[in-house]
Amino acid sequence: MSVIDRTADGGRGGAAPSVVVLGATGFVGRHLCAAFAGAGWTVTGVARTHPPVPPPCRTVTLDLVRAAPERIARLLAGHGARVVVNAAGAVWGVSAEEMALANDGLVRRLVTAVASLPRPPRLVQLGSVHEYGPGPRRGITEDTPTAPVTPYGRSKLAGGLALLDAAAAGAVDGLVLRVSNVSGPGTPPASLLGTVARHLAEEPPGPLRLAPLLAHRDFVDVRDVADAVLAAAGSTATGRVVNIGGGRAVPVRALVTRLTELAGRGAEITEVPSPGGRPPEAEWQRMDIALAGRLLGWRPRRGLDDSLRDLLAEARAAVRCDPLSSAVQVGAASMSPSGTV
């Protein structure tokens, strides 16, 4: 199988290499667009909705969940994609069927679209640590058996396997990056950290009810994730799974406490048992990220304190812009400590 030329000019006579980012207006997607643009790439973002993305990125509106492979192929060819990054998908507030369409079906149609092109672009799929399911305390390596216990984890695994199967058959060139829980500026309010940050940004913060904070989770800053994707785009490694995470298990209760300390204010946070309990994967999680260092030359550079400070700063800005919307979001019932891609 041929390997795509991803040198500085992409083999096109001095033109900047072109990347298409799917899910460009989402939490991770916006940071991906900024990182690629900062590295000199021509960036086209694709999303179902069309809020602004960081300039000079272009945005194309397309419902990827329902788009046929032929439509996706025309889009990629029309923008001269040398690399495609799939940061699209469904996480919160949707049914298992909708997750399957967004996290599995989309990837299968994307793989078909990419393989049909005369010069197939390189494909980077953003997977999730939840594809592994309950993790061993010695750490999750890329060889750890996958046994997801949630619809989200199962749908992400199915999508990633579709890419890996196509790569094994020589139809596409690309990687699956399995990403741990993501923090940093723009963390969605539906996640644990986003919920707590919005709560702390209120004037004054009201009471907040959370599920028991018993878990240990691996967290990585969203800008470090963007750096990893940028490294994967320029790599020649293909047909592999690569873990992207912080590399340590962080007590979730301690993380919430640290958020309140950095916010410089007290808050009434109550832990309330969730009906039916939580899946066992919530208890312990640590990614082994050695392979990312060897294959991609990547390691996380931002500490959790920096990530949390920037999360709080953006949450405060969001509350100033729309205090009523924020209050409704953080006032919602208890949240699980699952914060993921």
Side-chain angles (χ1 to χ4, degrees):
M1 180 177 68
S2 62
V3 176
I4 296 171
D5 178 9
R6 288 175 297 279
T7 55
D9 65 359
R12 294 187 293 141
S18 175
V19 61
V20 173
V21 177
L22 309 184
T25 57
F27 169 39
V28 177
R30 291 173 62 84
H31 287 277
L32 292 175
C33 290
F36 274 98
W41 290 65
T42 297
V43 183
T44 300
V46 182
R48 184 173 57 186
T49 57
H50 198 168
V53 295
C57 307
R58 301 169 293 184
T59 307
V60 174
T61 304
L62 178 65
D63 187 350
L64 291 162
V65 172
R66 292 171 175 79
E70 296 78 13
R71 176 68 182 90
I72 298 173
R74 289 197 301 273
L75 184 151
L76 300 180
H79 290 279
R82 307 306 299 148
V83 172
V84 179
V85 181
N86 182 28
V91 186
W92 294 286
V94 297
S95 67
E97 292 74 15
E98 290 169 316
M99 283 188 184
L101 286 172
N103 299 333
D104 179 15
L106 167 58
V107 181
R108 294 178 186 277
R109 285 179 285 107
L110 176 60
V111 167
T112 299
V114 167
S116 72
L117 294 173
R119 296 182 62 194
R122 179 166 172 79
L123 180 55
V124 180
Q125 162 72 9
L126 292 193
S128 169
V129 64
H130 294 280
E131 296 175 39
Y132 290 110
R137 296 206 171 203
R138 64 181 178 275
I140 301 169
T141 73
E142 290 79 1
D143 295 325
T144 297
T146 52
V149 296
T150 63
Y152 175 74
R154 288 190 289 269
S155 62
K156 291 295 288 186
L157 175 61
L161 291 177
L163 185 152
L164 296 174
D165 289 344
V172 299
D173 165 29
L175 293 173
V176 174
L177 304 184
R178 286 191 182 142
V179 182
S180 71
N181 302 276
V182 185
S183 62
T187 300
S191 69
L192 172 71
L193 295 184
T195 295
V196 176
R198 288 292 185 100
H199 168 72
L200 293 171
E202 286 189 304
E203 294 292 346
L208 180 64
R209 292 158 58 89
L210 299 174
L213 303 175
L214 306 177
H216 288 66
R217 288 291 180 94
D218 189 307
F219 287 88
V220 63
D221 187 88
V222 65
R223 293 157 295 189
D224 282 327
V225 174
D227 289 344
V229 174
L230 194 59
S235 167
T236 57
T238 190
R240 302 287 298 270
V241 170
V242 182
N243 287 342
I244 302 297
R248 64 191 183 100
V250 179
V252 173
R253 183 178 290 124
L255 197 63
V256 169
T257 299
R258 186 59 180 152
L259 257 178
T260 63
E261 291 172 350
L262 291 172
R265 63 195 316 176
E268 182 184 340
I269 299 177
T270 306
E271 297 180 41
V272 180
S274 301
R278 289 175 294 133
E281 69 169 336
E283 300 308 325
W284 183 273
Q285 192 183 82
R286 182 178 68 80
M287 300 283 268
D288 185 317
I289 56 175
L291 183 63
R294 296 196 299 271
L295 281 186
L296 308 180
W298 174 89
R299 62 180 180 83
R301 297 187 295 112
R302 295 163 180 86
L304 263 178
D305 270 13
D306 290 337
S307 192
L308 296 179
R309 284 192 188 95
D310 293 342
L311 164 59
L312 286 165
E314 190 152 318
R316 290 182 178 119
V319 168
R320 287 195 296 270
C321 291
D322 192 356
L324 179 60
S325 171
S326 175
V328 171
Q329 289 169 341
V330 300
S334 62
M335 303 291 295
S336 162
S338 297
T340 187
V341 177

